[in-house]
Amino acid sequence: MNGPEIHVEFAPELHVFVPRARRAGTVRAATDGVSSLGHVVESLGVPLTEVGALVVDGREVPVSHVPAGGESVTVQAVARPQKVPGAPLRFLLDVHLGTLARRLRLLGVDTAYESTDIGDPALAALSAAEQRVMLSRDRGLLRRRELWAGAFVYSTRPEEQLRDVLDRFRPELLPWTRCTACNGVLRRATKDEVADQLKHGTHATYDVFAQCGACGRAYWKGAHHEQLEAIVERALTESRDQG
């Protein structure tokens, strides 16, 4: 684009996407009289999944708005909690977010996860087909138009990633109801039903079990239960505090 300029100011939450030299004050961007404001914003580095209201000269406009030279644009961050209309809230995570996927499943949140890199087109198609919110740190993936919905994962630390996703979307938490391995739904199981998965010490020590209805994996309160319990209790407490 090489036409008249507009002036764009980004909310502080979006500065992570903007080159450091452009973070202070406004960014000048050229217009061509054809491209949408959404296209301009993405060309400056900000995925539309992270954009809330677009305000032009004091009035809110849609992403399809075609900017004219001299306009002043304010790009706000997406509002929280974010509502995703049209489908039950469920997620799809890319290959780099395995720990986050397991923790969301631990909390009973419907979370699909690809443990191998199936490629951006396939992930976007799966998001659309199953109406899942795509969670990723890949900005290119989040710009794909066929996505059902998407969100950038801002941190590289699983604890912060989980906190941010729960704060942004406020999913219903139903701990201990999903398989952390495959996302299937758990059911109560007898010791005899899962006996083939138990070592002798486990068989002798534990009496309460659950089993995944999809993959058959058995669960019990083993050595790592206290650590998992801490993750669950922290999430529940923060969820109650958010109201």
Side-chain angles (χ1 to χ4, degrees), residues 96-120:
H96 304 292
L97 298 175
T99 299
L100 176 59
R102 289 188 292 273
R103 292 188 179 190
L104 286 169
R105 291 170 176 175
L106 175 66
L107 296 171
V109 179
D110 189 342
T111 305
Y113 164 67
E114 293 296 332
S115 60
T116 58
D117 188 356
I118 64 174
D120 289 1

Side-chain angles (χ1 to χ4, degrees), residues 8 10 14 17 35-55 61-65 73-79 82 133-134 138-152 154 168-169:
V8 185
F10 291 100
L14 302 177
F17 302 105
S35 298
S36 69
L37 183 54
H39 176 82
V40 174
V41 168
E42 284 199 319
S43 73
L44 294 172
V46 182
L48 291 182
T49 59
E50 306 313 296
V51 172
L54 293 170
V55 180
V61 301
V63 293
S64 59
H65 171 78
V73 180
T74 300
V75 182
Q76 299 179 2
V78 67
Q82 181 179 351
V133 180
M134 183 78 240
D138 183 339
R139 303 178 194 185
L141 171 57
L142 295 177
R143 292 193 185 106
R144 299 192 70 91
R145 292 291 178 262
E146 62 269 38
L147 282 178
W148 166 253
F152 184 74
Y154 286 80
R168 178 166 175 169
F169 292 100

Side-chain angles (χ1 to χ4, degrees), residues 102 179-182 186 194 197 210-220:
R102 289 188 292 273
C179 176
T180 57
C182 81
L186 300 183
V194 298
Q197 299 183 51
Q211 188 172 31
C212 176
C215 72
R217 179 171 176 170
Y219 288 85
W220 59 92

Side-chain angles (χ1 to χ4, degrees), residues 77-95:
V78 67
R80 297 186 178 214
Q82 181 179 351
K83 302 300 181 183
V84 182
L89 181 59
R90 48 196 176 192
F91 298 101
L92 170 63
L93 278 62
D94 68 18
V95 66

Side-chain angles (χ1 to χ4, degrees), residues 84-239:
V84 182
L89 181 59
R90 48 196 176 192
F91 298 101
L92 170 63
L93 278 62
D94 68 18
V95 66
H96 304 292
L97 298 175
T99 299
L100 176 59
R102 289 188 292 273
R103 292 188 179 190
L104 286 169
R105 291 170 176 175
L106 175 66
L107 296 171
V109 179
D110 189 342
T111 305
Y113 164 67
E114 293 296 332
S115 60
T116 58
D117 188 356
I118 64 174
D120 289 1
L123 283 170
L126 185 58
S127 166
E130 297 188 2
Q131 297 186 343
R132 291 180 178 274
V133 180
M134 183 78 240
L135 300 182
S136 179
R137 288 180 51 79
D138 183 339
R139 303 178 194 185
L141 171 57
L142 295 177
R143 292 193 185 106
R144 299 192 70 91
R145 292 291 178 262
E146 62 269 38
L147 282 178
W148 166 253
F152 184 74
V153 177
Y154 286 80
S155 177
T156 58
R157 296 172 55 84
E159 298 84 359
E160 295 173 357
Q161 291 174 345
L162 181 63
R163 185 177 299 112
D164 185 53
V165 171
L166 297 183
D167 174 70
R168 178 166 175 169
F169 292 100
R170 311 284 172 86
E172 182 181 11
L173 304 184
L174 299 168
W176 317 109
T177 61
R178 285 192 178 271
C179 176
T180 57
C182 81
N183 196 45
V185 177
L186 300 183
R187 63 171 183 82
R188 292 183 65 87
T190 65
K191 184 180 293 189
D192 288 342
E193 289 175 312
V194 298
D196 60 333
Q197 299 183 51
L198 307 180
K199 296 180 180 179
H200 178 72
T202 302
H203 192 283
T205 305
Y206 299 97
D207 295 302
V208 178
F209 299 90
Q211 188 172 31
C212 176
C215 72
R217 179 171 176 170
Y219 288 85
W220 59 92
K221 294 182 179 181
H224 300 292
H225 184 74
E226 288 188 8
Q227 179 183 352
L228 299 178
E229 183 73 44
I231 293 172
V232 168
E233 288 305 315
R234 188 180 309 115
L236 291 176
T237 298
E238 292 175 355
S239 178

